[in-house]
Amino acid sequence: MYYSLEHFEHELAVLVDDDERSRSVPRALLPAGAKPGDVFREEGGAYLPAPEEAARRREEILRLQAKLRKK
């Protein structure tokens, strides 16, 4: 399962999973430099970057935007 970083609340990171459920985790569990919109996968209690999934999601958003512009 993948998690998207929604926002930070002080020392917590609010993540949203593929089923649109939110969870708050300590900010320290994310890699340094993590920012809203980044995508992670959980492994052994740590959240690791998932750049391939982030790229796939960006491509999907661009495809949907292009489709909307054609209407």
Side-chain angles (χ1 to χ4, degrees):
M1 179 163 309
Y2 292 103
Y3 299 88
S4 178
L5 176 54
E6 181 71 27
H7 64 276
F8 291 109
E9 291 180 2
H10 304 288
E11 293 304 313
L12 294 176
V14 178
L15 302 174
V16 178
D17 68 18
D18 295 334
D19 296 324
E20 298 184 22
R21 291 180 297 215
S22 294
R23 70 164 54 175
S24 296
V25 300
R27 193 176 193 157
L29 293 179
L30 299 180
K35 60 189 180 308
D38 286 350
V39 179
F40 303 94
R41 60 185 169 78
E42 184 180 15
E43 192 172 296
Y47 292 87
L48 305 174
E52 67 290 339
E53 178 63 13
R56 187 197 67 75
R57 291 178 182 199
R58 272 191 294 279
E59 287 299 319
E60 178 67 9
I61 289 168
L62 291 173
R63 186 188 67 72
L64 290 171
Q65 287 175 334
K67 184 177 177 181
L68 287 171
R69 278 190 222 110
K70 290 181 182 180
K71 289 187 176 191

